[in-house]
Amino acid sequence: MELLTALRTHRIVAIVRGADADAALRTVIALAEEGLPLIEVSLSGQDALGVIRRARAALGPDAPLGAGTVLTAQDAQAVRDAGADFVVTPAVCEGVTEAKRLGLPVLAGVMTPSDVVAAQRLGADAYKLFPAAQAGGPGYLKALRGPFPGLPFVPVGGVDAEAARDYLARGATAVGVGSPLIGDAADGGSTDALRERTRAFLDAVRLPSDAVRTSPDAGR
């Protein structure tokens, strides 16, 4: 898949990490049905590989489906075999190297300028600024883009709808959102509430031109 194109188009990655594998699968499907196609299933969740396999079967071969918390070469191999077509790491690690060797695009976890340079050397496709809130929030993203103005950054960690707007306004390519979006849905909570939150986040990250195209008065 063209990860960078997808990030620029959709501007949000949902991070699913659940204590209930069946609920996590329902969460993935509900997100996709609500029009949020970039979804990462974290390996730190219950039976994550099984969730990825079942989600791939449910969503079909062409839907984007990522695997997160990929740390080792074995992790990268396992998620590829389960059906993931992009990889997300929390750091610059062996998972980046092996995923690239396998032909999978990588959103690599970085926090410092040194991390960014190291991830560049390994061929990262985009850069997950993590943990973004603890690093300094949108102000830190703005500072980091000074020496790296052309790189695609995706802040993750403590990103609610308001912060998502702020990060995107400061030049983020997309944002990664976990608990503020997922809530308790992946642990067995309400998918109806999840769907409402999904619509709110999609509104938050929508480009102004998208709003014009979807307006009832557009084209009159």
Side-chain angles (χ1 to χ4, degrees), residues 142-157:
K142 182 179 179 182
L144 196 60
R145 291 185 71 242
F148 305 107
L151 294 189
F153 287 104
V154 181
V156 177

Side-chain angles (χ1 to χ4, degrees), residues 152-172:
F153 287 104
V154 181
V156 177
V159 180
D160 59 16
E162 182 179 354
R165 293 187 188 95
D166 202 355
Y167 281 119
L168 292 167
R170 300 289 185 101

Side-chain angles (χ1 to χ4, degrees), residues 26-37 39 59 195 198 202:
R26 290 194 297 271
T27 297
V28 171
I29 293 171
L31 290 165
E33 288 177 345
E34 289 299 324
L36 199 163
I39 302 166
L59 298 175
R195 289 175 185 274
T198 302
L202 289 173

Side-chain angles (χ1 to χ4, degrees), residues 102-146:
L102 294 170
L104 296 174
V106 179
L107 175 56
V110 300
M111 189 173 184
T112 67
S114 296
D115 293 339
V116 174
V117 171
Q120 281 184 296
R121 288 173 177 165
L122 295 181
D125 298 86
Y127 303 84
K128 169 184 168 179
L129 181 56
F130 175 79
Q134 289 76 9
Y140 182 67
L141 170 65
K142 182 179 179 182
L144 196 60
R145 291 185 71 242

Side-chain angles (χ1 to χ4, degrees), residues 16-197:
V16 177
R17 178 184 293 107
D20 180 324
D22 291 338
L25 177 63
R26 290 194 297 271
T27 297
V28 171
I29 293 171
L31 290 165
E33 288 177 345
E34 289 299 324
L36 199 163
L38 278 179
I39 302 166
E40 162 199 340
V41 177
S42 171
L43 290 185
S44 60
Q46 180 68 32
D47 189 24
L49 292 174
V51 174
I52 293 170
R53 290 189 192 95
R54 294 160 67 194
R56 172 55 70 208
L59 298 175
D62 299 324
L65 183 60
T69 322
V70 174
L71 290 167
T72 67
Q74 291 78 13
D75 289 341
Q77 293 160 10
V79 301
R80 188 275 310 270
D81 293 344
D85 55 12
F86 69 94
V87 159
V88 185
T89 75
V92 182
C93 56
E94 188 182 42
V96 178
T97 307
E98 182 64 10
K100 294 302 297 183
R101 189 189 72 80
L102 294 170
L104 296 174
V106 179
L107 175 56
V110 300
M111 189 173 184
T112 67
S114 296
D115 293 339
V116 174
V117 171
Q120 281 184 296
R121 288 173 177 165
L122 295 181
D125 298 86
Y127 303 84
K128 169 184 168 179
L129 181 56
F130 175 79
Q134 289 76 9
Y140 182 67
L141 170 65
K142 182 179 179 182
L144 196 60
R145 291 185 71 242
F148 305 107
L151 294 189
F153 287 104
V154 181
V156 177
V159 180
D160 59 16
E162 182 179 354
R165 293 187 188 95
D166 202 355
Y167 281 119
L168 292 167
R170 300 289 185 101
T173 297
V175 292
V177 186
S179 57
L181 167 61
I182 305 303
D184 63 354
D187 300 323
S190 169
T191 55
D192 290 338
L194 168 69
R195 289 175 185 274
E196 291 181 9
R197 291 190 298 271

